[in-house]
Amino acid sequence: MKPVRLVKGFVTVGGWTLMSRVLGFVRDALIAAFFGAGPVAEAFAVAFSLPNMFRRFFAEGTLNVAFVPMFSKKVEAGGDAKRFAEDTLSVLATALIALTLLATLFMPALVTIMAAGLIGDERFDLAVGFGRIAFPYVLFISLGALFSGILNATGRFAAAAAAPVLLNVVLSVAMIGAAKLGLPVERALIWAVPLAGIAQLAVVWIAAAKAGFNLRPHLPRLTPEIKSLLILAGPAALAGGVVQINLLVGRQVASFSQEGALQYLNLADRLYQLPLGVVAIAIGIVLLPDLSRRLQAGDGQGARDAYNRACEFALLMTVPAAVALVVIPEQLISFLFQRGAFTPEDTQKTALAVMIYGLGLPAFVMQKVLQPLYFAREDTKTPFRFAIYAMIINALVAVGLSFFIGYLAAAVATTVAAWGMVALLWFGKKAMGEDVRTDARLLRRAPRILIASLLMGALLWGSESALSPVFALSRGLGTLLLVAIGIVGYFTIAHLIGAVRMAELKGSMRRGR
């Protein structure tokens, strides 16, 4: 078996995802500067979340969970992987076109489901109009996810990881260009969404063709393999639906709270999505096809090593990020978004949500490590059952606390439900045997990573006071220095106490493991 270069894959996907997230901050900073936390910003947040919600059904459910393992095994076994991919493309495109037409027709109902608290003011009509323009994005991005899955399954990660960068570039250029030309910025922003989807699809379609998978859609047909795919994808899509219900509950709680609450949660979500995207998406994209191919080849030891190294990489990168989000959230939010129509009061309210999401960050990432253990074995029913339990926890906490802490209840519920999901996935994997047992290296390094992260938190707390003259001179410079101190301090401490070995990471990159 030709191995997937695991660590190099993590870094490739993580690097491009980091660029996408950084440009995403530029995009959101522009939205905050132009629209603050007002009606346009909240309407856009609701409208843009609609295609992304359905994307998670089709891209992260059907494709990443069901298609990638089946396609990877066909590649490993020398089967007709291209024909299977073309059949999947045809069925998926048909379903997405029908969904887009129905969503356009019933957009007022969808907006009501997303944020009923908007009914009766200008935000509702804005969200409906924006939603009808933005929704076709789901068609392009979900088809793009199919081609990305093909590339990832064959060990080609760069093009698929780079494509999301285009979304933030197109949206940012549209806003800046409209402002310079004196055109309505909000119209340019919303029309840029489907255009960005077309650009993303084109990049991965061309890359897949160059890799030998020049797919051509045809009339959909339910072959035995497609039926097997749908059987596997059903529970996965339902599990994705449970996750979306969790998000819907949070948005509904926020929509009935104070004005601006949807934007506060949206921007807080963007901040914790930076480490989540860089690490969790990298792990999920690289680990699932690697585990699938190793299990197909009977390489149990290789599967165990891949799982443990993914855990180690996840903890190494996300535990310190979580500590930083808890210790310096206001500094980060003020640097990123506090300008134009986004006020210091908006910064403080967003920072509170960031702190709460930060406490759940390691859980969000560990889900991406643990779920592939089930999906690679074509078990989608167990994660679905666990997701149901997490949904119940989320709903009870969000609704129950909303009467006491308002919009922050959504963040608390998301964090509590995430840790509940991790506990269920962790204890549920015991039946898989030795392939998922924690090895000695991970047992040795995990507590050291925690210690290094806590020491870094103390360093950040002390450095913030020491840098107060710099913050008075320049908020941006002070924040950048604070972040640099945290990064350098963490890796220095981690190296000194044996939580990470730099030479070992370099060696892993050279060997591809």
Side-chain angles (χ1 to χ4, degrees):
M1 184 189 87
K2 182 181 178 181
V4 173
R5 297 172 67 85
L6 198 63
V7 174
K8 186 174 182 179
F10 290 163
V11 173
T12 299
V13 177
W16 278 109
T17 305
L18 175 62
M19 182 180 294
S20 176
R21 291 299 190 266
V22 170
L23 291 173
F25 283 127
V26 173
R27 179 197 80 194
D28 288 336
L30 288 170
I31 293 173
F34 282 121
F35 311 117
V40 171
E42 293 199 290
F44 176 79
V46 171
F48 189 50
S49 68
L50 280 166
N52 279 296
M53 178 179 71
F54 284 98
R55 172 183 62 85
R56 291 185 175 95
F57 281 102
F58 290 97
E60 296 176 12
T62 303
L63 297 175
N64 196 43
V65 172
F67 172 77
V68 170
M70 291 180 69
F71 182 82
S72 298
K73 289 176 181 179
K74 284 187 173 295
V75 171
E76 180 62 29
D80 193 352
K82 182 178 178 181
R83 181 184 58 78
F84 174 57
E86 286 184 335
D87 290 341
T88 305
L89 172 63
S90 302
V91 172
L92 180 65
T94 303
L96 288 167
I97 291 171
L99 172 67
T100 301
L101 293 174
L102 288 171
T104 302
L105 181 62
F106 294 104
M107 188 56 63
L110 287 176
V111 172
T112 300
I113 293 171
M114 293 292 291
L118 303 187
I119 295 175
D121 66 39
E122 63 177 315
R123 294 177 296 170
F124 185 82
D125 292 335
L126 276 172
V128 170
F130 286 175
R132 285 179 168 144
I133 297 170
F135 200 88
Y137 178 72
V138 74
L139 170 64
F140 306 119
I141 196 62
S142 297
L143 293 179
L146 173 65
F147 290 97
S148 296
I150 291 169
L151 293 168
N152 295 331
T154 54
R156 298 171 174 88
F157 301 108
V165 172
L166 292 173
L167 171 67
N168 297 317
V169 171
V170 172
L171 266 61
S172 298
V173 169
M175 284 186 283
I176 294 172
K180 293 289 186 183
L181 295 173
L183 300 173
V185 176
E186 67 275 13
R187 305 302 295 179
L189 171 63
I190 199 64
W191 278 105
V193 173
L195 293 177
I198 294 171
Q200 290 177 264
L201 173 58
V203 167
V204 291
W205 195 318
I206 293 170
K210 290 181 178 179
F213 294 94
N214 188 18
L215 306 188
R216 292 291 181 266
H218 50 68
L219 290 176
R221 57 193 181 200
L222 288 177
T223 65
E225 290 173 321
I226 293 298
K227 289 179 181 178
S228 298
L229 174 68
L230 294 176
I231 290 171
L232 280 175
L238 290 173
V242 169
V243 173
Q244 298 315 306
I245 290 173
N246 290 342
L247 295 174
L248 285 176
V249 170
R251 289 193 187 97
Q252 290 287 11
V253 167
S255 71
F256 285 100
S257 184
Q258 64 194 83
E259 184 173 334
L262 284 169
Q263 177 71 332
Y264 301 149
L265 290 176
N266 178 56
L267 295 180
D269 177 84
R270 291 295 303 170
L271 189 54
Y272 88 80
Q273 285 286 343
L274 174 62
L276 177 61
V278 171
V279 181
I281 292 176
I283 289 173
I285 287 173
V286 178
L287 184 60
L288 179 56
D290 189 44
L291 286 175
S292 299
R293 296 180 68 182
R294 289 186 182 281
L295 291 172
Q296 173 70 19
D299 183 10
Q301 179 58 43
R304 180 188 174 195
D305 183 60
Y307 157 66
N308 276 277
R309 299 294 69 78
C311 282
E312 184 179 333
F313 183 78
L315 294 174
L316 180 69
M317 304 302 291
T318 55
V319 175
V323 171
L325 292 180
V326 172
V327 175
I328 57 168
E330 193 166 336
Q331 291 74 17
L332 295 171
I333 291 295
S334 64
F335 168 61
L336 292 168
F337 304 122
Q338 187 179 308
R339 60 185 57 82
F342 199 81
T343 66
E345 182 182 358
D346 295 329
T347 293
Q348 292 172 358
K349 291 179 178 179
T350 305
L352 290 173
V354 169
M355 291 178 65
I356 297 168
Y357 282 133
L359 294 173
L361 178 60
F364 302 140
V365 175
M366 286 304 298
Q367 287 183 46
K368 298 296 184 180
V369 177
L370 295 169
Q371 285 174 335
L373 300 178
Y374 297 84
F375 298 150
R377 292 165 172 81
E378 298 186 358
D379 176 9
T380 56
K381 293 181 180 179
T382 302
F384 169 58
R385 188 173 71 252
F386 293 162
I388 290 288
Y389 300 150
M391 178 192 71
I392 295 171
I393 294 171
N394 181 83
L396 291 174
V397 174
V399 176
L401 290 182
S402 65
F403 299 102
F404 303 99
I405 58 176
Y407 72 98
L408 293 176
V412 174
T414 300
T415 295
V416 172
W419 280 110
M421 183 70 172
V422 166
L424 291 167
L425 291 167
W426 180 270
F427 291 109
K429 69 181 176 61
K430 289 184 178 179
M432 298 177 190
E434 289 295 307
D435 291 353
V436 297
R437 187 165 61 85
T438 305
D439 64 14
R441 173 171 152 179
L442 181 57
L443 287 172
R444 183 174 64 253
R445 292 193 175 178
R448 299 181 187 188
I449 289 171
L450 177 60
I451 293 170
S453 300
L454 293 174
L455 291 175
M456 179 212 69
L459 178 63
L460 285 175
W461 184 78
S463 299
E464 182 188 355
S465 299
L467 290 173
S468 55
V470 179
F471 275 98
L473 179 65
S474 169
R475 186 174 65 226
L477 178 60
T479 304
L480 290 174
L481 284 174
L482 198 59
V483 170
I485 289 170
I487 293 172
V488 173
Y490 169 69
F491 280 103
T492 301
I493 296 168
H495 180 72
L496 290 174
I497 67 174
V500 62
R501 298 295 183 207
M502 298 303 177
E504 189 176 79
L505 283 177
K506 292 178 182 178
S508 294
M509 283 291 293
R510 287 194 297 268
R511 294 191 302 272
R513 288 300 308 145

